[in-house]
Amino acid sequence: MRLLMSSSAVRLTALLVFFAGAATAQPADPLPSWNSSVSRTALVAFVDKVTTAGTPDFVPPAERIAVFDNDGTLWAEQPMYFQAFFVFDRIKALAPQHPEWTDTEPYASVLKGDVTRALAGGERALLQMVMATHADTTTEEFERLVREWIATARHPTTGRLFTEMVYQPMLEVLSCLRANGFKTYIVSGGGIEFMRPWAERVYGIPPEQVIGSSIKTRFEMRDGRPVLVRLPELNFIDDKEGKPVAIQQHIGRRPIAAFGNSDGDLQMLQWTTAGPGARFALYVHHTDAAREWEYDRASSIGRLDAGLGAARAGGWTVVDMRQDWKVIHPAEKK
Amino acid sequence: MRLLMSSSAVRLTALLVFFAGAATAQPADPLPSWNSSVSRTALVAFVDKVTTAGTPDFVPPAERIAVFDNDGTLWAEQPMYFQAFFVFDRIKALAPQHPEWTDTEPYASVLKGDVTRALAGGERALLQMVMATHADTTTEEFERLVREWIATARHPTTGRLFTEMVYQPMLEVLSCLRANGFKTYIVSGGGIEFMRPWAERVYGIPPEQVIGSSIKTRFEMRDGRPVLVRLPELNFIDDKEGKPVAIQQHIGRRPIAAFGNSDGDLQMLQWTTAGPGARFALYVHHTDAAREWEYDRASSIGRLDAGLGAARAGGWTVVDMRQDWKVIHPAEKK
């Protein structure tokens, strides 16, 4: 029944597009923020190919799965992953309940505003801070904390809300794929419950299509009411080799299109393109120092090194942000 | 866009139902295998309530999540969980590669056909056999093994294919809910990759809506091709307190309807009904010794004891299989 409804919806959409086309003589461009480019052409050709019935590359709607990394692919990730700002703000908010943090690293440095020193302990220090700030709440309380923070917190250099730091051309890709019967998923190294509260509003991606890193939770009854308590214990890191593992666990079928921006996405792109039939893999290459940031092989955040070689060898699409994108963020739209 | 398409599809369905109704004077009964009963009435009233726009109980389609246990709820589970037959058949198939099994328990008993003795070690022995038979393949190989087995293996007492042991009245509930804009999920203690290969064909539930117990997998490159290798290491047991945990992990929102048959489903039903607004919880009570099996409080498989008390206290729906269902399995349909 779900399949029937899904294909009915596709036919309905096709019909609406047809009438819209008849009225305006030319259907609206689904990718208005993309310059004519090799990458745009490759994307459009792929969508045409898999949605044209009766051809060998046709893919039924149920199998049109597209996966997107989030940090650096759907929204920016400089000067550090946005979730780290949430972690630091939570440490400041929780500090009164943790007087010991005043002279315990990495908390002490966060409270003094010394981000560099706070992160000097590398991934281990960051993970420690994530545990301290993301656990010991119920899932409902945590969702509320994220909602409140994301509604007001602002990027340190642009002054924009973090949700305004999304990439307009990628929003158009998401919409275009969904209009063509695709199911769009986020597959991110970021926290699954950090993304879910706003992914539907910002990206049109519902909670059940958000995959990410997670801590464990425990079911318990509190005053006769069931709650899920978030525990300071790692459950899963959704990065590198973890991405195909999580895709299999959550989706149970191989995507036909994958979008990323770093070596952390490489295995997801390899897994996606290794299936039979038409496949599409795209790297967003951060090449725009003026409008965004310029970084790749040497960056500690979003390093893209092995991925560039794999893209060349595999004939994957590499977006040159500076050349290919008319605007970066939604606010720049005319 | 997904939401728009989904509600378009719902409207289209409503329209089609309207025209169908106009042509035949009376729309077809969506639950033809259900006798008039308290349980049928409660189910229909719930669906009407949450789908009637403009009322306080209306639930938008995106939030119409229904979760179903599998063993004993969607298909039978006697004389033992059907997946155990798959385990035993795999042990027999793998025995030539494991000469040591001839005198190692529990394998030796399986090979001698002594199921009772093979299962004497309880859950630990069963888990050991699951690991030995479900791991050390790629995900693709395992899917093929399940497909081949489920296409031919037969139930020991009825002689039917296991997929013919599904409950016709529950197939009608699944279809009815989906026709009313619900997304239907399996949330089972059974293996997630044991159910996915046939759940879409048999239940209309796609792989991404199947949740279950799992072992770990590892991404690796074999001859330049990426594979996911199944490891003999437990990842997650999707039973009891694990069910709400898995629902949050996979779906990220609380279901509004839950269907089970045992104490293993109790926490899922508690979690579902504890949310605000209209909620529906249903237990299938195995009361039909003639057409199926009769068991509850004292059964080692599908024990329903605490759940019966919770159902009474919470006003949940309890299906009396003998009284409420006209037919049990699809083959009995006139």
Side-chain angles (χ1 to χ4, degrees):
Chain A
M1 180 55 86
R2 201 189 138 271
L3 287 174
L4 285 175
M5 285 180 46
S6 181
S7 57
S8 301
V10 170
R11 279 197 297 273
L12 187 67
T13 307
L15 215 68
L16 291 172
V17 168
F18 175 78
F19 282 117
T24 63
Q26 188 137 2
D29 178 2
L31 302 169
S33 300
W34 288 70
N35 285 316
S36 292
S37 59
V38 174
S39 56
R40 183 198 153 105
T41 303
L43 176 62
V44 170
F46 168 75
V47 173
D48 281 352
K49 205 156 57 170
V50 297
T51 56
T52 306
T55 67
D57 285 321
F58 177 76
V59 176
E63 289 165 32
R64 292 181 202 158
I65 306 282
V67 288
F68 292 80
D69 169 58
N70 184 42
D71 298 303
T73 300
L74 294 180
W75 74 356
E77 60 182 352
Q78 298 287 358
M80 59 182 180
Y81 297 128
F82 294 173
Q83 192 173 353
F85 292 108
F86 173 71
V87 169
F88 294 159
D89 285 348
R90 289 300 304 149
I91 287 175
K92 288 170 201 160
L94 290 167
Q97 300 158 46
H98 293 274
E100 76 280 11
W101 283 357
T102 319
D103 44 24
T104 314
E105 289 298 345
Y107 309 101
S109 292
V110 172
L111 295 175
K112 284 179 205 134
D114 187 345
V115 168
T116 312
R117 200 165 157 205
L119 293 175
E123 273 195 21
R124 209 176 128 271
L126 187 60
L127 201 60
Q128 186 188 343
M129 290 187 278
V130 167
M131 297 300 176
T133 54
H134 285 51
D136 300 324
T137 65
T138 66
T139 48
E140 287 164 309
E141 286 161 5
F142 187 73
E143 182 182 337
R144 185 180 53 74
L145 289 171
V146 173
R147 273 188 204 283
E148 287 175 6
W149 182 82
I150 202 89
T152 55
R154 288 181 181 273
H155 189 273
T157 61
T158 68
R160 286 182 175 144
L161 292 174
F162 288 107
T163 50
E164 294 170 334
M165 300 286 291
V166 298
Y167 300 132
Q168 175 61 29
M170 294 305 289
L171 297 182
E172 294 166 7
V173 172
L174 287 168
S175 292
C176 170
L177 289 176
R178 289 191 295 257
N180 282 284
F182 278 77
K183 218 174 198 176
T184 52
Y185 283 81
I186 289 174
V187 180
S188 168
I192 188 168
E193 302 298 1
F194 174 73
M195 296 180 284
R196 280 173 162 164
W198 49 269
E200 187 150 27
R201 171 173 60 85
V202 174
Y203 298 134
I205 297 181
E208 63 268 30
Q209 285 160 230
V210 175
I211 301 171
S213 297
S214 57
I215 56 176
K216 290 191 188 293
T217 64
R218 183 182 61 227
F219 176 91
E220 62 180 55
M221 300 296 285
R222 283 189 181 171
D223 305 325
R225 205 176 149 269
V227 292
L228 289 171
V229 181
R230 293 170 57 81
L231 306 177
E233 190 183 341
L234 191 64
N235 182 56
F236 189 77
I237 299 270
D238 187 32
D239 196 30
K240 300 191 173 78
E241 288 83 1
K243 291 201 174 195
V245 168
I247 287 169
Q248 179 63 28
Q249 178 72 6
H250 282 256
I251 310 178
R253 43 183 150 203
R254 197 191 297 248
I256 64 167
F259 301 77
N261 79 298
S262 79
D263 287 355
D265 304 311
L266 178 56
Q267 290 82 358
M268 174 168 82
L269 271 59
Q270 288 172 326
W271 178 244
T272 299
T273 53
R279 303 278 152 170
F280 187 76
L282 181 149
Y283 262 133
V284 173
H285 192 187
H286 293 264
T287 53
D288 195 330
R291 296 184 301 170
E292 213 244 357
W293 285 271
E294 186 176 0
Y295 58 98
D296 51 23
R297 296 183 191 274
S299 178
S300 64
I301 291 171
R303 182 195 308 269
L304 179 60
D305 183 11
L308 284 175
R312 189 168 309 115
W316 300 347
T317 295
V318 178
V319 167
D320 181 332
M321 284 177 82
R322 193 167 61 87
Q323 299 279 351
D324 295 355
W325 288 1
K326 287 183 192 164
V327 301
I328 306 286
H329 300 301
E332 299 155 25
K333 272 192 300 181
K334 297 294 177 310
Chain B
M1 179 55 88
R2 202 190 136 272
L3 289 175
L4 284 177
M5 284 181 45
S6 182
S7 57
S8 301
V10 169
R11 280 197 296 273
L12 187 68
T13 307
L15 214 69
L16 292 173
V17 168
F18 174 79
F19 282 117
T24 64
Q26 186 139 3
D29 178 2
L31 301 169
S33 300
W34 288 70
N35 285 315
S36 293
S37 61
V38 174
S39 56
R40 183 199 153 103
T41 304
L43 176 63
V44 171
F46 168 76
V47 173
D48 281 351
K49 207 156 55 172
V50 298
T51 56
T52 307
T55 67
D57 285 321
F58 178 76
V59 176
E63 290 165 31
R64 292 182 203 158
I65 306 284
V67 287
F68 292 79
D69 170 58
N70 184 40
D71 298 305
T73 300
L74 294 180
W75 73 357
E77 60 182 351
Q78 298 287 356
M80 61 181 179
Y81 298 127
F82 294 174
Q83 192 173 354
F85 293 108
F86 174 70
V87 169
F88 295 159
D89 286 347
R90 288 299 304 148
I91 287 174
K92 289 168 201 159
L94 290 167
Q97 299 157 48
H98 293 273
E100 75 281 9
W101 283 357
T102 318
D103 44 24
T104 314
E105 290 297 344
Y107 309 100
S109 292
V110 172
L111 295 175
K112 283 179 208 135
D114 187 345
V115 169
T116 312
R117 200 166 157 205
L119 292 174
E123 273 195 21
R124 207 175 130 271
L126 187 58
L127 200 59
Q128 187 188 341
M129 290 187 278
V130 167
M131 297 301 175
T133 54
H134 285 51
D136 300 323
T137 65
T138 65
T139 49
E140 286 164 308
E141 286 161 5
F142 187 73
E143 182 183 337
R144 184 180 54 75
L145 290 172
V146 173
R147 276 188 201 282
E148 286 176 5
W149 182 83
I150 203 88
T152 56
R154 289 181 180 272
H155 190 273
T157 60
T158 68
R160 286 184 175 143
L161 292 175
F162 288 106
T163 50
E164 294 170 333
M165 299 289 290
V166 299
Y167 301 132
Q168 174 62 28
M170 295 305 290
L171 296 183
E172 294 167 8
V173 171
L174 287 169
S175 290
C176 170
L177 288 176
R178 289 191 294 256
N180 281 282
F182 278 77
K183 218 173 196 178
T184 53
Y185 283 82
I186 290 175
V187 180
S188 168
I192 187 168
E193 302 298 2
F194 174 73
M195 298 179 285
R196 279 173 162 163
W198 48 270
E200 187 150 27
R201 171 173 61 85
V202 174
Y203 298 134
I205 297 181
E208 62 268 32
Q209 286 160 230
V210 175
I211 301 171
S213 297
S214 56
I215 55 177
K216 290 192 189 292
T217 63
R218 182 182 60 227
F219 176 92
E220 62 180 57
M221 299 297 284
R222 284 189 180 169
D223 305 325
R225 205 176 148 267
V227 292
L228 289 171
V229 181
R230 294 170 57 80
L231 307 178
E233 188 183 344
L234 192 64
N235 182 55
F236 188 77
I237 298 270
D238 187 32
D239 195 31
K240 300 193 174 73
E241 289 83 0
K243 291 201 175 195
V245 167
I247 287 170
Q248 179 64 30
Q249 179 72 5
H250 282 256
I251 311 179
R253 43 183 153 203
R254 198 191 296 250
I256 63 167
F259 301 77
N261 79 299
S262 80
D263 287 355
D265 304 311
L266 178 55
Q267 290 82 358
M268 175 168 81
L269 271 59
Q270 289 172 326
W271 177 244
T272 299
T273 54
R279 301 280 153 169
F280 187 76
L282 182 149
Y283 262 133
V284 173
H285 191 185
H286 293 264
T287 54
D288 197 329
R291 295 185 301 170
E292 212 244 358
W293 285 272
E294 186 177 2
Y295 59 97
D296 51 24
R297 295 184 192 274
S299 178
S300 65
I301 290 170
R303 182 194 308 270
L304 179 61
D305 184 11
L308 284 173
R312 191 170 306 115
W316 299 346
T317 295
V318 178
V319 167
D320 181 332
M321 282 178 82
R322 193 166 62 86
Q323 298 280 351
D324 295 356
W325 288 359
K326 286 183 193 163
V327 301
I328 306 286
H329 300 301
E332 298 154 25
K333 274 192 300 182
K334 299 290 178 314

